[in-house]
Amino acid sequence: MTTQTALVILDDVSNGITFGDRPWTLSTLPQWYRGSCYYPGWAENSETKATMTIVFEGLEIGCIGNTPRRTDSQQFTVTIDGNETRTVGYGDPDPQTYMQWYKSATLPDGRHTILFESMGGVALDMVLVTVGPRTPLDGKTLLIDNEDGQIQYTGQWTRSLNRIVSGYLPDAFPILNSTHQSTTPGDMMVFRFSGTSVSVYGVFNWESLGNLSATYELDGIIYTENYAVKASSPSYLDLTKEATNFVYFSRQNLDPGPHILAVTVTEVNNAVYAFDYITYTPSFSNLASQPDVSSYSVTRPIASSTSLPTQATHIQNNDPPTGNTKSAPVSAIVGGVIGGLALLLLVVAFLCGRRRLLNNAKKRRTLQIAKPYTEETPYMYDGYDGPDFPPSNGSVSPYMLRLPGTNSTSNSFSTYGRYHDRRLSEMRQFSDMSSLHPSHSASQVRRPPISAISEDGETEHDKVSPYILRSPAETSSLLP
């Protein structure tokens, strides 16, 4: 379904709006659209009046904000595209009010400039531009009023034209003068669109303590929002009362293309869900190229109110609520599964590689260790493969030399050293190992040639050596 006209919303900070030679004052209250509004406070009840220029593309415009106070001038002048200047009024029967205080005549679709002069203490919050089929929409934001046929309601919604009691601000009318309200859990509205962002705005009452909850299903993903008014809520304490332009829900950075937004009221406790309008960023260049999304649906059907989650995120201030995602996108689930499998494969590969390395190391060590000497001899080799550093007095070796004829070992024969096959071969060269027998004395063992004399005059073979076998008596005489 292609619409012939639509509303583009321009914020007061838009590039097409300029505020005369003298700057206007910026107000940043949450009741304004996107939290900002400009007004010439210096022009109120003053002979010096304010001016403003609006440049737009489309058919006509409407200006929304506060009208001047009753004591101020209720008229101003308008010049469209440099033509005749006309004097117009704000149209407020009971100043001061937040409302649409100006609407231009319908113009040819195109670019236009409107000059406003002789303005008193007026305020500008937003400008609504009516666009035609060929009006460029790139970078624009569309507004869909609660009475637009693109929104489908089910349940017990009611249409309201009530004036908004705004507390410390002037009373207000809803955007385009109406809202749809619900006090019944299960009431639903559905909106289909083609764009990259969407926001739901309404009127929220901070005057009464209570709680309000709703779910927002966007393309099958459900978000739950809770709007609680507590005794500690700042907007309850400062007597905000009913707030205009309240952000019920907002999502940005959507994929270009068709989307479905389903809003379901899930809890109402001394509160009212008052819906005013929806804004979205279109993913089409103009209304003539707007795709037909009336029959668009998602794979998972929109859930009924009885199956929607009711867990809420408490909102205690005036900031726009942020939803809690109750179901994850399919891409996120698939990514998590793939990531888990990849991690599992890495762990298995690491364990297998470690086991292989340990087995190889064990095989190499087995090959490097000399086989124990199996001939009948009191010399025993335990296969130490440690560092080859020289023996030191008082050191204890894990490899003991057992004395002939005994099963005991003595630390006096212990020393650090590496006993490889080459050492055993050297020992065989200077000791007749085959002639040793438990009945032989240690004096029969031939000693190696004296290779050095120590400073105290003793030869090296007079000290405890891993290559000399001594009797217990001879050994004890050498010990300190």
Side-chain angles (χ1 to χ4, degrees):
M1 178 180 66
T2 301
T3 57
Q4 297 299 315
T5 61
L7 291 176
V8 168
I9 183 169
L10 300 180
D11 194 14
D12 51 79
V13 297
S14 300
N15 293 331
I17 303 174
T18 56
F19 297 105
D21 296 331
R22 189 168 179 178
W24 289 28
T25 303
L26 172 65
S27 174
T28 56
L29 295 175
Q31 292 92 321
W32 311 128
Y33 174 67
R34 293 186 176 177
S36 68
C37 177
Y38 280 90
Y39 66 97
W42 45 267
E44 183 176 357
N45 294 320
S46 172
E47 294 182 359
T48 304
K49 298 302 181 181
T51 61
M52 174 180 67
T53 302
I54 299 177
V55 179
F56 67 96
E57 288 186 285
L59 302 172
E60 60 186 25
I61 67 169
C63 297
I64 296 177
N66 289 345
T67 60
R69 298 179 188 272
R70 184 184 300 274
T71 57
D72 203 356
S73 173
Q74 299 298 308
Q75 292 183 329
F76 59 99
T77 63
V78 175
T79 304
I80 301 177
D81 295 334
N83 296 321
E84 180 183 357
T85 299
R86 297 177 54 201
T87 299
V88 297
Y90 294 100
D92 186 1
D94 188 18
Q96 184 180 34
T97 305
Y98 179 90
M99 57 179 287
Q100 178 175 288
W101 49 258
Y102 173 74
K103 182 178 175 66
S104 72
T106 301
L107 305 171
D109 193 358
R111 184 181 180 88
H112 303 281
T113 300
I114 300 181
L115 173 63
F116 298 83
E117 297 177 298
S118 301
M119 305 181 76
V122 69
L124 180 69
D125 186 16
M126 67 175 77
V127 176
L128 299 183
V129 181
T130 303
V131 297
R134 299 296 177 182
T135 304
L137 297 179
D138 294 337
K140 301 295 193 302
T141 299
L142 294 180
L143 182 145
I144 306 299
D145 186 51
N146 68 92
E147 296 197 46
D148 195 299
Q150 298 179 68
I151 300 175
Q152 301 172 349
Y153 296 94
T154 57
Q156 303 179 35
W157 295 87
T158 59
R159 179 174 178 264
S160 174
L161 300 176
N162 292 340
R163 188 180 179 100
I164 299 169
V165 180
S166 301
Y168 57 83
L169 288 176
D171 288 348
F173 285 105
I175 304 301
L176 300 182
N177 303 321
S178 70
T179 60
H180 267 68
Q181 299 183 359
S182 171
T183 57
T184 306
D187 285 353
M188 177 186 288
M189 64 178 183
V190 177
F191 173 61
R192 292 173 170 84
F193 66 101
S194 179
T196 57
S197 71
V198 64
S199 299
V200 179
Y201 289 83
V203 179
F204 189 78
N205 191 348
W206 291 99
E207 186 175 10
S208 302
L209 300 179
N211 192 67
L212 180 68
S213 296
T215 59
Y216 301 83
E217 183 171 354
L218 181 59
D219 299 332
I221 301 175
I222 298 176
Y223 305 90
T224 301
E225 303 287 0
N226 183 66
Y227 320 97
V229 180
K230 300 181 179 180
S232 60
S233 299
S235 294
Y236 174 80
L237 296 174
D238 66 12
L239 304 179
T240 296
K241 295 187 178 180
E242 293 182 287
T244 56
N245 301 299
F246 181 82
V247 183
Y248 279 112
F249 176 78
S250 183
R251 282 297 176 272
Q252 309 296 318
N253 301 319
L254 304 178
D255 293 335
H259 304 278
I260 297 180
L261 174 64
V263 181
T264 303
V265 178
T266 56
E267 180 184 358
V268 179
N269 180 15
N270 196 30
V272 177
Y273 191 99
F275 164 60
D276 195 356
Y277 61 94
I278 288 175
T279 65
Y280 75 98
T281 304
S283 56
F284 44 90
S285 59
N286 53 44
L287 294 179
S289 62
Q290 180 181 8
D292 183 4
V293 296
S294 58
S295 60
Y296 176 71
S297 63
V298 294
T299 302
R300 188 176 71 83
I302 297 175
S304 65
S305 60
T306 56
S307 63
L308 292 176
T310 58
Q311 183 177 351
T313 300
H314 292 281
I315 308 298
Q316 302 180 14
N317 53 35
N318 296 329
D319 296 334
T322 57
N324 292 333
T325 303
K326 294 303 175 185
S327 60
V330 176
S331 59
I333 297 175
V334 174
V337 172
I338 294 176
L341 291 176
L343 180 60
L344 179 61
L345 291 176
L346 288 175
V347 171
V348 172
F350 170 77
L351 293 177
C352 293
R354 186 172 181 273
R355 183 175 181 181
R356 188 180 296 107
L357 290 174
L358 292 175
N359 290 337
N360 292 340
K362 184 175 180 181
K363 291 179 181 179
R364 289 195 299 269
R365 184 174 180 180
T366 303
L367 294 175
Q368 292 173 357
I369 295 177
K371 294 182 179 181
Y373 192 69
T374 57
E375 297 180 9
E376 285 191 0
T377 173
Y379 184 91
M380 299 186 66
Y381 173 66
D382 290 332
Y384 176 67
D385 193 26
D388 189 11
F389 39 74
S392 61
N393 293 334
S395 61
V396 179
S397 172
Y399 307 107
M400 302 296 184
L401 296 180
R402 294 184 172 84
L403 297 176
T406 177
N407 293 328
S408 63
T409 60
S410 174
N411 286 345
S412 61
F413 293 93
S414 303
T415 181
Y416 288 111
R418 188 187 297 272
Y419 302 102
H420 291 175
D421 289 341
R422 59 184 179 84
R423 293 288 177 86
L424 296 177
S425 176
E426 292 174 358
M427 292 179 63
R428 293 189 183 97
Q429 293 178 8
F430 64 76
S431 176
D432 187 6
M433 301 294 288
S434 62
S435 64
L436 291 179
H437 190 271
S439 63
H440 294 165
S441 65
S443 60
Q444 292 177 309
V445 179
R446 292 178 300 184
R447 298 178 179 178
I450 299 175
S451 59
I453 299 177
S454 61
E455 293 180 357
D456 56 6
E458 295 181 351
T459 61
E460 290 295 331
H461 67 265
D462 289 330
K463 297 183 179 180
V464 178
S465 169
Y467 308 129
I468 304 300
L469 299 179
R470 302 178 186 272
S471 65
E474 184 180 1
T475 302
S476 61
S477 65
L478 295 177
L479 295 175

